[in-house]
Amino acid sequence: MNNLGEYIHQFRQQGVCVVMDINSGTIHVTDPLVYDIIEVHDKGGTYDDVMKMLKVKHKNVPLSEVSEAYSEIQTLINEDMLFTDDPYKERVLDFKNQKTVVKALCLHIAHDCNLSCKYCFAEEGMYHGKKAELMSPEVGKKALDFLVANSGDRRNLEVDFFGGEPLLNFETVKEIVRYGRNIEKKNKKKFRFTLTTNGVLVNDDVIEFANKEMDNVVLSIDGRKEINDKMRPFRKEGVSTYDIILPKLKKFADSRNQDRYYVRGTFTRENLDFSKDVIHLADQGFKQISVEPVVAKETDSYALKKEDLPKLFEEYENLAAEMIKRDGTDKEFNFFHFMIDLSGGPCVYKRLSGCGSGTEYLAVTPTGDLYPCHQFVGNTDFLMGNVNDGVTNTAVRDRFKNCNVYAKKTCRTCFARYYCSGGCAANAYNFSGDILGDYETGCELQKKRIECAIAIQARKMMKEQ
């Protein structure tokens, strides 16, 4: 049986041998003998092939142990925990005909910014616009009305205040939140608000308001001072953004008891040794950390390249090793990309179709226009409607409805498909011209992160036994 990634995925990392049964989601931590036998079996090997392998790699292992290993493997197969078939592919998964509800909005409170980040996909917050724009309270309120009206029976609704820099329009943020709280009860809804900020304008008023009203806050910083200041400068040079924001972000995180927030950074070709930036943030006291790979044009000097992958893989493994070392100590921390649920995770629809951009999740511009997500804002080919009239361009919505792992050729045989859910539609579009395409470098990094995350979980389980 040559599965081509259809049934199992095997890897060794952090001192453990892992066999992932892709379709059932079962993770097996095995000894080297069982691992090698499964590998031969997976490649279509016969009993004779297994014995040839054993004579080379496990020549001192008694035949009784080999027989026991074979028996264990067969039991797992019989109990549908190994080499299981895809439980979904025989179904007719036509998401285009599935009714969806809107569950989340990304409100672009400000198409303006006080920083000039070199990798900013939003062009310093203006999103292809010719001038800076701020959302009015009226547009924000209409956006909440639109969300309520299109959310069906969904009770919990997500709203992210985004930019540019939303604190440039903080009074409007406050007014929209007040409006949301006033309409929750009568509509039987609960708004879960999030604030994403670069930290420059954070003060006691912002912290107090956010701690009262924001379910989560996202605080942007790239890591070490020299890296952060190079990639996230002010428009006028000469002042360190790191020196200004670090104490503010630390105070913010501590005020939330190191919970319900995360610091969010970006690594580029300027810091391929990005694990040092993650560890730097952890050493500053942050417990919730996300440092993510830049997505940039190949012509950009800071863009990640295919030849960088071995170094980046090494960095992820270094980071995993550090997290294992710190586990259970006062220096432990969470890394966003290593946080996966091995007990089953989200529902089938989410596992197959991902974030819900263009269907369940929409972005709203300062003027009230609707786009599939924040990364499509400004590309009029993806303009879906506005908060007054709702989604009028249903063709765009239907394209995103059918965006799932079965519609993407490269996803169908990828071991990571039920964890990444097909990846980011915007990245796929930007690199292939099609939301059903793929972004090869991003896919490879995603697969490596998943392996690291599983290895960390495996080591923790072994520690607890």
Side-chain angles (χ1 to χ4, degrees):
M1 168 192 329
N2 191 339
N3 67 74
L4 297 176
E6 184 178 357
Y7 295 102
I8 68 167
H9 176 68
Q10 295 179 256
F11 63 94
R12 303 174 194 256
Q13 195 191 130
Q14 307 301 330
V16 293
C17 300
V18 176
V19 179
M20 174 196 297
D21 186 68
I22 297 168
N23 294 316
S24 72
T26 307
I27 304 296
H28 305 282
V29 180
T30 74
D31 61 33
L33 175 64
V34 171
Y35 182 94
D36 288 339
I37 293 176
I38 291 175
E39 185 174 36
V40 174
H41 180 66
D42 178 43
K43 293 178 179 178
T46 64
Y47 180 81
D48 288 341
D49 293 323
V50 171
M51 296 309 294
K52 290 177 182 177
M53 178 274 295
L54 293 173
K55 288 179 180 178
V56 176
K57 300 183 70 172
H58 302 277
K59 57 186 177 182
N60 295 323
V61 175
L63 285 178
S64 59
E65 289 188 26
V66 176
S67 178
E68 183 179 351
Y70 253 105
S71 178
E72 290 177 5
I73 293 168
Q74 191 58 53
T75 298
L76 292 173
I77 294 173
N78 293 339
E79 293 180 353
D80 289 330
M81 297 174 69
L82 194 62
F83 294 108
T84 58
D85 289 326
D86 188 333
Y88 311 119
K89 73 176 182 180
E90 297 302 325
R91 302 180 189 180
V92 179
L93 289 173
D94 186 3
F95 289 131
K96 188 177 291 187
N97 294 324
Q98 181 171 329
K99 183 179 179 180
T100 60
V101 297
V102 182
K103 301 176 182 178
L105 293 180
C106 179
L107 297 188
H108 288 223
I109 291 296
H111 274 189
D112 194 9
C113 193
N114 44 18
L115 295 185
S116 183
C117 301
K118 294 182 179 179
Y119 49 67
C120 182
F121 68 89
E123 299 178 322
E124 296 185 4
M126 293 188 186
Y127 292 86
H128 312 294
K130 296 181 180 179
K131 64 178 182 178
E133 294 181 305
L134 300 180
M135 180 179 287
S136 69
E138 291 69 32
V139 168
K141 293 172 184 178
K142 287 181 180 179
L144 295 193
D145 290 338
F146 164 81
L147 179 56
V148 168
N150 289 274
S151 60
D153 295 330
R154 176 82 177 189
R155 172 172 166 75
N156 292 319
L157 304 177
E158 312 282 340
V159 178
D160 182 16
F161 293 103
F162 199 72
E165 173 48 49
L167 293 185
L168 291 171
N169 198 12
F170 187 45
E171 291 305 313
T172 294
V173 171
K174 289 181 176 180
E175 193 166 341
I176 294 171
V177 169
R178 283 194 293 267
Y179 179 76
R181 296 301 179 216
N182 286 335
I183 67 172
E184 282 179 323
K185 189 173 182 180
K186 67 180 180 181
N187 289 288
K188 298 181 181 179
K189 304 293 182 181
K190 174 64 177 175
F191 289 109
R192 295 161 57 94
F193 294 110
T194 296
L195 175 69
T196 299
T197 176
N198 61 32
V200 173
L201 297 178
V202 166
N203 55 31
D204 289 343
D205 182 30
V206 170
I207 292 174
E208 181 181 1
F209 182 80
N211 288 348
K212 178 183 177 184
E213 300 290 359
M214 300 293 164
D215 186 72
N216 197 13
V217 293
V218 182
L219 311 172
S220 297
I221 184 171
D222 279 354
R224 293 163 290 179
K225 178 177 177 176
E226 61 273 22
I227 294 300
N228 183 84
D229 287 352
K230 184 171 185 176
M231 301 307 295
R232 301 182 61 81
F234 285 109
R235 291 180 179 178
K236 291 185 178 180
E237 297 181 0
V239 180
S240 167
T241 55
Y242 178 94
D243 288 342
I244 290 174
I245 67 173
L246 182 64
K248 294 184 177 189
L249 301 192
K250 289 171 73 170
K251 183 176 182 179
F252 211 156
D254 287 339
S255 75
R256 296 174 77 86
N257 297 314
Q258 289 294 325
D259 193 20
R260 298 185 304 121
Y261 85 97
Y262 62 91
V263 288
R264 197 276 190 206
T266 299
F267 70 83
T268 71
R269 213 155 195 260
E270 298 290 339
N271 59 321
L272 295 179
D273 59 347
F274 70 90
S275 69
K276 294 179 181 177
D277 291 288
V278 178
I279 293 169
H280 172 79
L281 292 171
D283 288 343
Q284 293 299 315
F286 296 110
K287 298 296 185 183
Q288 317 299 334
I289 303 171
S290 175
V291 175
E292 306 182 17
V294 71
V295 178
K297 298 176 183 177
E298 293 182 355
T299 54
D300 291 327
S301 62
Y302 52 79
L304 301 175
K305 301 182 183 299
K306 191 172 182 179
E307 57 260 36
D308 298 328
L309 287 175
K311 171 60 177 174
L312 298 177
F313 292 166
E314 179 185 354
E315 288 295 302
Y316 277 123
E317 290 194 17
N318 290 343
L319 182 56
E322 183 68 17
M323 292 184 69
I324 291 169
K325 185 173 109 176
R326 295 188 182 208
D327 181 48
T329 73
D330 60 358
K331 292 185 177 182
E332 68 180 350
F333 61 93
N334 292 318
F335 181 64
F336 183 79
H337 274 145
F338 288 171
M339 297 170 66
I340 61 174
D341 185 355
L342 299 183
S343 63
C347 66
V348 169
Y349 179 81
K350 297 298 290 182
R351 290 179 70 194
L352 299 180
S353 60
C355 69
S357 60
T359 56
E360 299 177 341
Y361 165 76
L362 303 176
V364 185
T365 71
T367 57
D369 287 338
L370 299 173
Y371 285 88
C373 83
H374 58 286
Q375 292 201 60
F376 287 100
V377 167
N379 184 339
T380 55
D381 289 341
F382 290 91
L383 177 60
M384 298 179 67
N386 59 71
V387 294
N388 295 308
D389 303 320
V391 175
T392 54
N393 190 349
T394 57
V396 172
R397 182 187 62 195
D398 288 346
R399 285 171 65 187
F400 280 83
K401 268 189 174 184
N402 206 41
C403 192
N404 61 75
V405 299
Y406 294 101
K408 296 185 174 186
K409 184 176 180 181
T410 55
C411 293
R412 296 171 195 165
T413 56
C414 176
F415 80 86
R417 60 186 178 271
Y418 298 136
Y419 291 100
C420 85
S421 306
C424 174
N427 289 349
Y429 176 79
N430 288 332
F431 280 87
S432 71
D434 186 353
I435 63 172
L436 298 182
D438 61 72
Y439 167 40
E440 185 179 356
T441 299
C443 289
E444 292 303 314
L445 293 176
Q446 176 72 291
K447 287 186 279 189
K448 188 62 180 183
R449 291 193 295 263
I450 290 170
E451 289 184 348
C452 289
I454 291 172
I456 291 170
Q457 296 270 15
R459 285 293 301 270
K460 285 184 177 181
M461 288 187 288
M462 292 169 63
K463 183 179 178 180
E464 293 169 359
Q465 291 176 352

